[in-house]
Amino acid sequence: MNPESGAATSYSLVLPRGWVRVPLREGTAEALEEKVFRGLEKVPAGVPRDDGMAYRLYVRRRVEKLVGEARKAGGLDLYVPVGVRAGGAIAASFVVGEVAARGEASARAEAVVARLAADAGEVRGMGDTVAARWEYVRGPSAEEAEADTASRHVDYVLPVPGNEASRWLVVSFSTAGDGDPGSAFTHALADLFDAVMTTFRWSRTDSRTGSHTESRTHSRTDSHTGAGAGA
């Protein structure tokens, strides 16, 4: 049996300490309350005690907005850091979503990735396939009244094995960092995301037996991976 011959049914990632997965198709509210909002009782150093309630409300609204935007974009999972540093929460997140492709034969998946990456991107190995990667800085949106700084973005696009003709996965990371998209801290957060993506693996079904070659876990944590980043 060739474990790479079956269709992909799910994916897995190794998350750094302090990051959590929020599913967007079902169980979203429960995951938010248990994994994200429960930790808001602890106000980070640098935030005045009297501003604790306003801080909690701000974080809740920002995360709920991220969830809404990710759902509209066809997101499957949202990943956010729940750890804090002096002054507040770490302003970073990434979304895993699915997009449909038309008119591309599965045998041309690598060629499609190369063509995508030709537009100011690059091709990177991703698990047992390849992905197109872009990194760029985007200014604050006119609709974002609360955001007055630019953000750094990293996007990956890769074909879903066994379904390259119709299904592609998009993983999009963004961070405001420390307010400077070119600072060492902001770059460190982008580098941390790239490190997470090196752990990306597909879960597959054997095309002959129908059995799974890997568990269907969407994410698994590793307290040693990236433990010092974003602290």
Side-chain angles (χ1 to χ4, degrees):
M1 179 185 72
N2 179 3
E4 299 184 359
S5 63
T9 57
S10 186
Y11 70 93
S12 65
L13 289 169
V14 177
L15 297 178
R17 178 185 299 168
W19 283 73
V20 298
R21 166 184 170 258
V22 178
L24 297 173
R25 297 295 173 87
E26 58 182 18
T28 305
E30 294 83 355
L32 286 174
E33 291 298 333
E34 179 180 350
K35 299 179 179 181
V36 182
F37 298 147
R38 180 176 295 179
L40 292 179
E41 288 81 5
K42 181 180 179 181
V43 178
V47 176
R49 183 178 298 273
D50 292 343
D51 294 337
M53 183 174 294
Y55 167 79
R56 295 185 189 98
L57 182 60
Y58 171 78
V59 173
R60 180 178 286 268
R61 286 177 174 173
R62 292 293 297 170
V63 173
E64 289 175 343
K65 184 173 183 179
L66 283 174
V67 169
E69 292 174 344
R71 279 176 163 171
K72 289 181 180 178
L76 299 172
D77 298 303
L78 169 69
Y79 294 85
V80 295
V82 293
V84 298
R85 65 187 183 99
I90 299 173
S93 64
F94 68 92
V95 178
V96 177
E98 187 178 349
V99 296
R102 298 179 179 177
E104 296 291 353
S106 59
R108 298 185 56 200
E110 291 189 5
V112 174
V113 168
R115 187 165 69 245
L116 290 172
D119 183 17
E122 60 179 310
V123 176
R124 289 197 176 187
M126 194 60 53
D128 55 15
T129 184
V130 293
R133 178 192 180 277
W134 300 267
E135 182 169 355
Y136 55 96
V137 173
R138 177 180 294 168
S141 169
E143 294 80 18
E144 285 279 4
E146 298 175 334
D148 56 1
T149 61
S151 55
R152 180 166 292 277
H153 296 253
V154 181
D155 296 336
Y156 284 81
V157 177
L158 58 158
V160 178
N163 298 275
E164 293 93 335
S166 59
R167 297 173 61 200
W168 291 66
L169 209 66
V170 179
V171 188
S172 300
F173 168 85
S174 65
T175 181
D178 57 4
D180 178 2
S183 72
F185 178 75
T186 304
H187 275 287
L189 290 176
D191 290 343
L192 176 63
F193 170 65
D194 279 330
V196 169
M197 289 303 293
T198 66
T199 72
F200 185 97
R201 297 293 183 271
W202 289 110
S203 300
R204 296 173 180 270
T205 300
D206 178 37
S207 57
R208 293 178 299 176
T209 67
S211 62
H212 294 288
T213 60
E214 187 176 325
S215 73
R216 293 176 59 84
T217 303
H218 283 272
S219 61
R220 55 184 185 272
T221 57
D222 183 342
S223 61
H224 300 292
T225 304

